[in-house]
Amino acid sequence: MAGWWFILLWALDPSFANAGVINLAKRTVLSDLSGGFCRSYRFGADIANNVLYTVGLDGGLIPDDGDASNNYLMTLDLTSSFSTSEGKNYKMTKIGAEVPKIKDMALWSNAENSTLYQYGGRFLENITSEDTIWTYTVKDKSWTKQDGTIQPSRLEYGVYTNAPAIQAGFWIGGYRASGTTSSITDSTKEYATGMIQLNTTTGQYTSLDGPYEAVEEGSLSYVPVGDRGILVYIGGDVPSIKDEINATMNSNSWNHVQVYDIAGAKWYNQSTTGTVASRTQFCASVQQEKSSFSYQIFVLGGADLKSKDTILDVNYLSIPSFKWYSAVPLDDPRMTLTCVTYGRQIFGIGGRRAWAEDGKAGCYDAPAFIYDAQSEATRSSFDPALSSFSLSSSTASDIKASASPSQWADPALRTLFGKSEATINTSANNETSSTSEPQEVNTSDPAIRGAIAGGVAGGVAGLALIIGLLWFFIATNKKQKNAILAEAEVVTRQVQPMSELPVGARDGRSELGGDTYMYSELPVDSKRDIPELDSERNRQVISHQGI
């Protein structure tokens, strides 16, 4: 039979034989999403030079691909209008095999929009103990390992935000587990107790205090008030027992938020007013409202931790009044999504329509949708001219009438909002870094370099910072410490590439029977069954100390 096939190819025109090879190549390596889309989530995303960059997309659920080993960088050109539902607008570039396949990572841009930093996340294959951070050079369109600096341990299920005006990226929460390091082979979780700050000018990292001993999910937002700005952490899920395999999870109350003064290096537990439903696996976006001298942190989607029902709600926290307001909900449910902001338009990228790790998580036709924060509506197209944001006159009047909370967590926090915003050369959203000319970076500014060269607040020496960053996790006993110290040699654990759905099932968008086996985006042994929890569990807020 093989002989007849060879004779047939010899008799036909050579272009016929070559056509099959060419078509196959086009099928397995995509340049865009014209052939359709189904679902993916746990992306890292950021905007630089009017381009939205997204990492963490494999080919497993893309109809024209189906190969989960293909790792893509996806981009959207934000210089002109486009429809979010048209796959041709999502440009795809295959990332080289030398760059590990990662999900649930941070993506930070520097102030010049010339470099992207990819930190954290879990491996989808070839799990290693190496904590290498990769950078993407926008001009050369190339990936390289970040060398010459002490790098933090790889974490997953944390949250991050970018503050390009102060040349900083921040990550808080999350843990090390079997998907982040080869030395963990069971369901152990080693929670991070602090926060990581990246100096995007020098490429160096600093270990800072966090608001909880152990936390995952939630949202982290940068708001430009005070001397260097503040970070606002909303929600988050906390384990009943830190680093315990069988720990249960509980959502933090949304009647308070954690506020971090970057210049003063201090956390505040600030109470909030208004009505909002607590949730997990949501995303957040910051908008500045100039007429009321306020900022609004929008939260989109998510799911209830106890019932696992997805949430359509859109709410926003007004700052400095720290009051919750309700906006028009999403058209369709979405959880485990990533938010990126351009002007008043909030990109919701990826996610799931239901709390499931197989076909029941649902499909949608394109990776991104847009929520217009001003009109409070889901848009079908992007418009680069929609930059400024304003609230309705009634809401703006209400904010002006109660411009500050009835009770501040600390007089020092109140003082922050009395300082001139002229010291912060930024806006509350990504418009500054994505639409303006590249900023000149003053690398001699001690406020930019001081935490790296001289230590964090409290006068801690640089050597102590490095040690604290290397051993980012606080071991509970000497045995645990020795286990971490012994992990110097890089070890790789091979796992099979795994798509979210098998290739043969990618076109089936209906719910699947319970007896149908599906590959999940999370490996099966990484599923997190989160039952209803005891609401009386104590939660500890860590006061700021030098590390």
Side-chain angles (χ1 to χ4, degrees):
M1 184 66 182
W4 284 106
W5 174 244
F6 177 80
I7 293 172
L8 179 61
L9 289 178
W10 176 80
L12 292 172
D13 187 273
S15 62
F16 176 84
N18 292 333
V21 176
I22 295 173
N23 289 338
L24 180 61
K26 288 183 178 179
R27 175 179 172 80
T28 56
V29 179
L30 303 180
S31 60
D32 59 39
L33 290 175
S34 297
F37 186 74
C38 177
R39 172 185 66 256
S40 191
Y41 50 99
R42 295 289 183 186
F43 290 124
D46 198 17
I47 293 175
N49 291 331
N50 296 303
V51 176
L52 195 163
Y53 293 89
T54 303
V55 290
L57 176 62
D58 67 64
L61 276 185
I62 302 175
D64 275 4
D65 190 326
D67 186 353
S69 66
N70 285 339
N71 186 20
Y72 289 103
L73 170 68
M74 183 178 70
T75 59
L76 281 170
D77 181 0
L78 305 182
T79 60
S80 59
S81 300
F82 61 85
S83 170
T84 56
S85 62
E86 293 186 12
K88 66 180 182 180
N89 296 319
Y90 298 86
K91 303 304 180 183
M92 312 279 285
T93 303
K94 186 178 179 181
I95 300 174
E98 70 278 4
V99 182
K101 289 182 60 182
I102 302 291
K103 278 284 190 183
D104 197 27
M105 73 289 278
L107 193 65
W108 293 304
S109 58
N110 63 355
E112 295 174 325
N113 292 325
S114 60
T115 303
L116 302 177
Y117 293 82
Q118 177 181 287
Y119 162 73
R122 57 180 171 82
F123 294 100
L124 295 184
E125 60 185 26
N126 302 332
I127 300 170
T128 177
S129 60
E130 188 176 25
D131 292 323
T132 302
I133 293 170
W134 287 79
T135 62
Y136 178 78
T137 304
V138 173
K139 182 179 180 180
D140 299 336
K141 299 182 179 180
S142 61
W143 290 91
T144 57
K145 288 184 179 181
Q146 183 185 3
D147 296 321
T149 182
I150 300 299
Q151 298 180 359
S153 297
R154 181 178 298 278
L155 302 171
E156 61 175 324
Y157 291 104
V159 290
Y160 71 97
T161 191
N162 196 25
I166 60 171
Q167 293 87 55
F170 298 89
W171 170 289
I172 192 169
Y175 50 79
R176 295 203 312 169
S178 59
T180 64
T181 178
S182 59
S183 64
I184 300 176
T185 57
D186 56 14
S187 56
T188 295
K189 297 178 181 178
E190 296 178 353
Y191 278 90
T193 59
M195 178 170 62
I196 297 169
Q197 176 181 334
L198 164 67
N199 184 314
T200 58
T201 299
T202 65
Q204 292 178 296
Y205 298 84
T206 305
S207 178
L208 305 172
D209 279 346
Y212 299 100
E213 278 196 359
V215 70
E216 59 186 84
E217 303 291 358
S219 70
L220 186 65
S221 301
Y222 174 76
V223 181
V225 298
D227 291 332
R228 304 297 297 168
I230 62 173
L231 301 176
V232 180
Y233 181 79
I234 299 174
D237 306 331
V238 290
S240 56
I241 304 174
K242 182 177 178 289
D243 297 342
E244 176 64 37
I245 290 179
N246 296 319
T248 53
M249 303 299 295
N250 193 24
S251 288
N252 285 320
S253 171
W254 283 40
N255 61 15
H256 66 270
V257 294
Q258 305 300 322
V259 181
Y260 184 73
D261 173 15
I262 297 174
K266 184 175 181 179
W267 284 99
Y268 300 94
N269 182 19
Q270 177 61 48
S271 61
T272 65
T273 58
T275 302
V276 64
S278 66
R279 66 199 75 173
T280 186
Q281 299 186 36
F282 59 95
C283 70
S285 166
V286 179
Q287 298 287 330
Q288 181 182 19
E289 215 285 326
K290 295 182 179 179
S291 69
S292 60
F293 305 100
S294 64
Y295 296 89
Q296 327 303 322
I297 302 180
F298 280 75
V299 293
L300 277 64
D304 182 89
L305 182 62
K306 296 180 180 180
S307 68
K308 298 187 178 181
D309 293 333
T310 50
I311 294 176
L312 291 168
D313 294 358
V314 175
N315 301 88
Y316 55 92
L317 179 68
S318 185
I319 293 176
S321 67
F322 290 95
K323 182 177 180 179
W324 283 105
Y325 293 86
S326 296
V328 176
L330 300 176
D331 292 343
D332 297 302
R334 194 69 63 90
M335 62 177 291
T336 331
L337 70 167
T338 302
C339 276
V340 181
T341 307
Y342 192 100
R344 73 191 214 196
Q345 296 167 100
I346 305 171
F347 284 90
I349 306 174
R352 297 181 284 176
R353 303 186 71 179
W355 195 313
E357 295 169 359
D358 53 21
K360 295 180 181 179
C363 281
Y364 38 92
D365 294 329
F369 68 89
I370 295 175
Y371 185 86
D372 189 326
Q374 179 166 310
S375 64
E376 298 185 5
T378 302
R379 296 180 55 86
S380 60
S381 61
F382 169 76
D383 184 350
L386 299 180
S387 55
S388 61
F389 166 80
S390 63
L391 292 166
S392 66
S393 57
S394 59
T395 304
S397 297
D398 185 73
I399 291 174
K400 290 179 181 179
S402 55
S404 61
S406 58
Q407 183 175 359
W408 289 94
D410 190 286
L413 181 58
R414 179 178 183 175
T415 302
L416 282 178
F417 291 92
K419 294 182 178 181
S420 171
E421 295 179 12
T423 58
I424 302 295
N425 298 316
T426 185
S427 65
N429 51 46
N430 283 338
E431 184 183 357
T432 298
S433 63
S434 61
T435 62
S436 63
E437 292 297 320
Q439 304 171 32
E440 182 178 352
V441 179
N442 180 11
T443 57
S444 63
D445 182 355
I448 296 174
R449 302 180 62 99
I452 304 299
V456 296
V460 182
L463 179 60
L465 277 177
I466 294 175
I467 295 174
L469 194 55
L470 279 172
W471 316 127
F472 192 68
F473 302 93
I474 299 177
T476 56
N477 54 52
K478 184 175 180 180
K479 181 178 179 181
Q480 287 178 306
K481 290 181 180 179
N482 290 338
I484 296 176
L485 285 168
E487 194 183 70
E489 182 179 358
V490 175
V491 181
T492 300
R493 186 170 77 249
Q494 298 286 338
V495 297
Q496 292 297 320
M498 185 177 294
S499 64
E500 196 174 5
L501 292 175
V503 175
R506 65 178 181 268
D507 295 327
R509 300 194 175 193
S510 60
E511 284 196 355
L512 304 176
D515 57 349
T516 303
Y517 178 78
M518 305 298 294
Y519 284 113
S520 62
E521 186 163 12
L522 293 173
V524 174
D525 59 357
S526 296
K527 288 184 179 180
R528 299 183 299 151
D529 187 14
I530 306 177
E532 193 167 333
L533 307 171
D534 178 11
S535 61
E536 298 300 319
R537 193 190 58 76
N538 292 329
R539 294 186 290 272
Q540 179 180 2
V541 178
I542 303 175
S543 61
H544 182 85
Q545 299 175 350
I547 295 179

